[in-house]
Amino acid sequence: MLATDTSSSALAIQRDDTQREGGLLTSALRERAADQHYLKLSGLAKSFGSTRVFSEIDADIARGEFITLLGPSGCGKSTLLRAIAGLNNVDAGQIIVNGHDITHLPPQRRGIGMVFQHYALFPNMRVVDNVAFGLRMKKVQPEERERRVNEILRLVELTDHAQRFPHQLSGGQRQRVALARALVVEPQILLLDEPLSALDARIRRHLRDQIRDIQKSLGLTTLFVTHDQEEALLLSDRIFLMHQGRILQQGNAEALYTRPVDATAAGFMGHYNLIGRELAQPLLGYLSDGPRVALRPEALYLQPDSSLYGLQDSQVNFPTQALPSNSGPACPGVIRRHQLLGNIVRYEVDCQGLRLNIDVLNRSSRQLLPTHLRVQVYADLDEVQALADIPAASPTAKQAS
Amino acid sequence: MSLPAELPYRHGKPLLPSLMARLRLLNPYTLVVGSVFTLLALPLVATLFYALATRWGASLTPDGLTIKWFIELWATPRFLAAFGRSILIAVSALILSLILIVPVVFLAHTRYPRLDNLMNGLILLPFAVPPIVSSVGLLQLYAGGPLPIVGTPWILIPTYFTIVLPFMYRALANSLRALDVASLMEAAQLLGASPLKAFFLVVLPNIRIGIQIAVFLAFSFLAGEFVFANMLVGTRFETLQVYLNNIRGASGHFTSALVITLFVFTLLLTWLGNRQPATEGQPVDEADDTLSGTDLTAPIHNVTPDADSRGTR
Amino acid sequence: MMPPRLKRWITSPVMWLLPFAIIFGAFQIAPLVWVMISAFKTPDGWGLAHFHEIATSAFFRQAIGRSLEISFMSSVLGLAIAAVTCHSMHRCGPRLTRAMIAFTNMTSNFAGVPLAFAFIILMGANGMLTLMLERIGIIDDFNLYSRTGLIVIYTWFQIPLGILLLYPAFGTLQSEWREAASLLGAGRVAYWKHIGLPVLWPSLAGTLTVLFANAMGAYATVYALVNTSYNLMTIRIANLVSGDLFLQPELASALALVLVVILVIVTLIQQWLMRRSYHVTSR
C-alpha cells in the first residue's frame, strides 16, 4: 500500500493555494464552476489525409476526475490523448484547461504530464536525473529540486533505486519512474497512455492500484487510455467509450457495464449476448421494443433439464440455481462447451438457434455441467437491455479482443 | 497505429490536404536527404556526362552526346586484358577465401565457440591496419627469400584473402547463427549422417545465400582494390584499377567511360549479391551488429527504415 | 595404410583451421610484425634512429601534420553531414530513405582511383562544378589539388561510410523521448543537449574514430589525384618503399608504425571516453 500522508507534499499545497483565494462567494462559485469544467474539449477533430482519426469530441471533465478513454486499438483514443498533450495538432476544435485555451500551445507550455506505454525514460540518465529533468527545464533551484525528487521517489517507492539507470530496472519500476517524472512537475493534467499494457499481470494489478491511490491523494485530473475494460471499470470515475474516432458513450463504470447504449458498446463491455428481437422473444416471453436485445452472461440462468436429471450420472451434482424474481420463460437448450474463467464458468449454450454465453459462479468442480447436456435457460427480465440503435456491425456478442 | 512523421512543434491552422502533401515534399528533412543525395551523385553524374560527351572544352555544356568512348574502350585490348586479370585475381582470391574461411566459421559455430570470439578480434586487423602499412611488410617479406612472389599475381591472391576476410567471416557467421547450425548438425547426425555429410547436405545448401551475398560483396570490393595491386605488383600484372591510374594521360572522355564501366560493374555485383531468390526469405539480422560504430564488417545492405517503432517492440 | 594416429590427426577438425592460420599469419600478421621489428633496425644495429629522423625532419613532420589535419577535418565534416542526414532519413518518407541507403551503399564502394578521376572531371581546373561556380561567382579559384580540395574529396567518401555506420544508431532514438522531453518543458535544443546527443554519443565517437582511421590510411584517392606531390603520411610511406629514388624500407616501417600508433591512440581515447559515458545493454 501507498503512504497516504501526502498532505505535506508540494502538490497538495499547490492545490490548497488555488482554493484559498476564494474569499468572495461569487469567486468561490465561479471557481466551483471552473472545477466542474476543468478540462473542456469541444468539437475536436483530427484526420491524417483522408483517414479520420477522431471527430466531434466533446467532453467536460471536472478537476480531480479520473477519466478513462476505453476502446479497441485504432479507435483514436491514443491520438486524442496526444492531441491534448500537444504532440499532435488538431484540425478543429478547442482544448480548454482551467479557462485557458491551450489548443495551439506547444507541449512545453501546456503544463500537462504524460506517461507513455513504453515508459520513454531517457536511457542516458539515472532515475534521479530522469525525474529531475522537468524541474531542471523549469530552472528550479537545486535544493528545491532535490527535495521534490526525493519526495516523489518516496511516493512511488523507488528511493532505493534512485541511482540506477533505466535499463537496470524492471518494467514495473520503469513505469513508476515515468510516473514520478510526470508528477514531479505538478502538471495540471496527467495523461496515461496505456501505461500498464507492457507489464505482466501481477505487476499490472499492483501498479494499477498504486496509480489510483496516487491520483486520489493528489487530486489530479487524469486521463487514462486503455483497451482493457477491466482496468477501465476498476479505475475510472467516468469512462469514455470510444469507437471509430467518436465517443460512443460516457458514464461511470456501472452505467457502462449495465446499460450499453448500443450493440458496439455492449460488444466491447463484458460479453453481452446480442440478440435480434424476434429471436429473443422465446427467452423474454415478449417482443422487445428495440431491434436488439442485450443480455449479460450473468443475467441468464441455467438449469439441467428436469426430465433428464434423474437419468444423469450421480456425480453430476448440479444444484438448482435460484431463479430471479422476474425471470422469463424456460427455454430448452444444449450445452456446447464451457470455459473456466477462474471463479466463473462460462457455458456456451445452443438455445432455439441462438448461441448464448451464460456465466455461472464456479462453486465446485463437481458441479460442472457436461457438454451435450440438455438444459433450460431463463433470462432475468430486469437485466434485459433493449438497444434502440440501427443494427451494428457485430451480429453476436463476440468478445472484444 | 502508425502516424506519419509530423513536425512536433508545428501548430497552426489546419491546411488543405493537397497543400499539406506539397509541404511534406518541402519539409526540411526531405530537403536535407535530397541535398546529400545530390551531393553524393554529383561526381558520378559529371563523369557519366563526360563519358557521353563528344567534346567538352571549357564550357558548361558538352558539344554533343555519343557512346563512342565506350566503344573505343571496349575495343582496347589493354583494357580487356586488365579486366580479365582483375576478374581472374578476384575469383582466385574468393575461391581461396572460401576454402580457408568456411571451415573456420563452421567450426567456430559448432565445436569451438571460443574460436568465434578470437576470430571476431582477428578480423578487425585487416581494418585496423591500413593497406599501405601491410604492403610495406609484404614488399620486404616476399621480395626475395624463400617465397619471391612480389611482382607476380601470386602475392595478390592471399593478400586479397586477408582483406575480404572481415566481410566473408561476418556474412557467413551471420547466416550460420540465423540457421542455428549446432542443432542442425546434431539433428542430421542423429538421423545417421556423418559430420562431413551433414555439413555438405544440410548446412551448405542452407547458407548458400549467405555465401552468395558475401562473395559478390567481396568481389565488388576487390574489383575496386588499388593499393595492394599497385604497390605489390604494379604494371607487371596490370589490373583494372592500375590500368585506370596508368592511363591518366589519356583522353578524359575515355577515362570517364572506364570509370563508369567500373562503377556499373561494381553495381551489378552488388545487385547480384543482394538479389534474393523469390522463394526463400533471407534472414538479415545485422542491425544489432552495426550499432557499435567500431564494427565496419557488417555492411548494412538490407536495412529497412524502422517503419513503426511503436508496434514492433 | 596410414598409421591410426596420423589418420586421426589428419581428420581432426583442428587440421581444417591450419591452412587458415598459416595464410593469415603469413600475409596479415607477419607483415605487421615485420614492420614493427624493422622500424627499429638501424644500419648499426637496433635503435630509435628512424623515429628520431622522423621527429626531426620538417618534411616528415609536415606529412604527419597534414595527414592529421585532413583526416580530422574530413572526418568531423563527414560525421556532421552523415549525422544530419541520418536524422533526416528517419524523418522523411520510407521510399526516399530506402533509395538513400541503396545509394550510399553504391557510393561507399566508389573510392580510390575512379573517385579521383570523377573529382577531376567535376572539380578540376576545368571541372564542370568549378566552371559553374566560377561563373556564378561563388568561388574564384578552386584548386582540387590543394589542402581544401583534398578535404572536399575526403569528406565526400566519408559521408556514405558515416551514414552506413550511423543510420542504425539514429534508429534507436525513440520519438517518445522527444515527446516526453517536450512535455517536461524541453525545447528542441534542450532535447538534443540532454538526451539526443548523449544517447548517440557512443555511436558518434565510434564512427568518428572509424572515419578518422579511414582517412589516415587512405592512399589510392590521393595518389591518383596528386601522385606524390602532396605530402601525406601514406604517400611518404609508399614512396619510401616503391619510389623512384633510393628506397628506405626501415624508415618506411618506422613511419608506418607511427601511423599505426596514431590509430591505436585514437582508438584508445575513444574507448576511454566511451567508458566514461553511460552504457546501455542491448535492449
Side-chain angles (χ1 to χ4, degrees), chain A residues 29-45:
Chain A
L29 276 177
R30 201 184 304 136
E31 208 150 89
R32 198 171 313 150
D35 273 6
Q36 283 306 307
H37 309 287
Y38 188 66
L39 170 61
K40 213 170 143 57
L41 311 177
S42 50
L44 287 184

Side-chain angles (χ1 to χ4, degrees), chain A residues 82 85 87 107-108 112 114 116 118 120-125 130 133-134 136-137 165 167 181-182 185, chain C residues 174 176-188 190-191 194-196 198-199 278-281:
Chain A
R82 293 167 56 84
L87 301 173
Q108 296 93 306
I112 286 179
M114 182 156 168
F116 294 80
H118 295 289
L121 295 181
F122 307 136
N124 56 319
M125 298 183 193
N130 259 288
F133 184 77
R136 266 169 85 189
M137 290 300 111
F165 281 105
H167 71 266
R181 188 178 67 178
V185 292
Chain C
Q174 295 172 26
E176 279 102 338
W177 295 339
R178 199 188 63 244
E179 293 170 354
S182 73
L183 284 166
L184 293 167
R188 204 178 276 247
Y191 162 74
H194 295 288
I195 298 137
V199 169
Y278 88 105
H279 9 252
V280 183
T281 51

